[in-house]
Amino acid sequence: MAVRLLYFAWVREAVGTGEELVDPPAGVDTVAALIDWLAARDPAHADAFRDRARLRAAVDQMFVPLDASIAGAKEVAIFPPVTGGEATGE
Amino acid sequence: MIRVVVGPDAIDTAGELDRIEVAGAGAVASFTGLVRADDGVGVLELEHYPGATEAALVALAEQATRRWSLAAATVIHRVGPMTPGTRIVLVATAAAHRAAALDACAYLIDRLKTDAPFWKRETRAGEARWVDARQGDDAAAARWHD
């Protein structure tokens, strides 16, 4: 089933797009498996996802760990750890 | 009454504070965050996750409203490119008494830095760089955990 992928901040820049629609095979059932599948398909994705410890994810706008299921997901977002709203310091 | 706005428009502090007073509570506390010029930052750009950001801020405001019995909570967050001195965030809380309003305001500003999907990019001397996550922000947010 097609899943809408969203990327933010430097992940978006490294992947080269902020949004794409993909149709992963049945065995790709977690965020981590999705990341592996995307990285295997394309060098820009592989580069963006090289350091998994620097990636965070949301499934249908809920923040989840990378081992979370994507079964039935309509939207998966992959992004760096958030760096907060508010001013640059304090 | 919860009011959350995320967008590129300038923040009207006076207008927002007037608006939250209408809740009729005895105490209104607020925090305004401005873009700092630290270390030669010329432009701060804020990216966010539209939809998820607003949902995260509403959830935080609801938690604060329950915990401190607030009459109203307002979170206005600016996104996009901003220069030093620009208002980037306004948090305002209305409660029956000052302690609840002040504590809830501090809670919201600490939590929104770690719980809302914002990413900062700083431009110094023409060079743009994404800001890394700060452990200090996690510590500030953690002090509110029960």
Side-chain angles (χ1 to χ4, degrees):
Chain A
M1 205 177 77
V3 181
R4 181 182 183 226
L5 302 183
L6 299 177
Y7 307 112
F8 295 104
W10 56 257
V11 174
R12 170 179 54 76
E13 292 183 334
V15 167
T17 183
E19 182 176 341
E20 62 182 331
L21 202 63
V22 299
D23 197 355
V28 176
D29 55 0
T30 65
V31 176
L34 178 66
I35 289 171
D36 288 340
W37 179 71
L38 291 164
R41 295 199 318 166
D42 173 64
H45 288 75
D47 182 51
F49 302 152
R50 193 185 305 128
D51 186 357
R52 305 290 160 90
R54 297 181 70 203
L55 299 178
R56 300 291 182 272
V59 173
D60 291 332
Q61 305 207 343
M62 294 289 294
F63 294 83
V64 295
L66 295 188
D67 61 2
S69 169
I70 58 166
K74 291 186 171 64
E75 180 179 294
V76 176
I78 300 170
F79 43 81
V82 304
T83 46
E86 230 252 280
T88 66
E90 105 272 3
Chain B
M1 188 175 63
I2 288 170
R3 175 171 160 79
V4 167
V5 178
V6 180
D9 296 336
I11 296 173
D12 174 14
T13 309
E16 293 297 341
L17 293 180
D18 283 350
R19 179 192 287 252
I20 199 169
E21 286 181 6
V22 174
V28 171
S30 71
F31 175 88
T32 305
L34 308 177
V35 176
R36 289 170 180 257
D38 290 355
D39 307 323
V41 172
V43 177
L44 176 73
E45 188 169 354
L46 217 66
E47 181 168 328
H48 78 122
Y49 183 169
T53 311
E54 289 85 347
L57 296 179
V58 167
L60 282 179
E62 286 172 347
Q63 286 166 27
T65 296
R66 279 194 300 271
R67 184 163 170 176
W68 284 281
S69 300
L70 300 180
T74 296
V75 180
I76 312 291
H77 215 298
R78 192 164 172 184
V79 293
M82 287 163 270
T83 51
T86 304
R87 291 176 196 141
I88 183 169
V89 67
L90 171 69
V91 172
T93 50
H97 299 286
R98 68 183 183 279
L102 287 165
D103 285 353
C105 185
Y107 168 86
L108 284 171
I109 203 72
D110 281 344
R111 290 294 300 272
L112 79 83
K113 289 178 69 72
T114 55
D115 290 23
F118 289 108
W119 298 275
K120 287 180 198 158
R121 180 161 54 181
E122 296 174 347
T123 300
R124 290 184 173 86
E127 194 169 330
R129 184 184 72 86
W130 290 100
V131 175
D132 286 330
R134 294 155 50 97
Q135 290 185 335
D137 289 342
D138 286 336
R143 76 190 169 103
W144 297 101
H145 291 168
D146 296 315

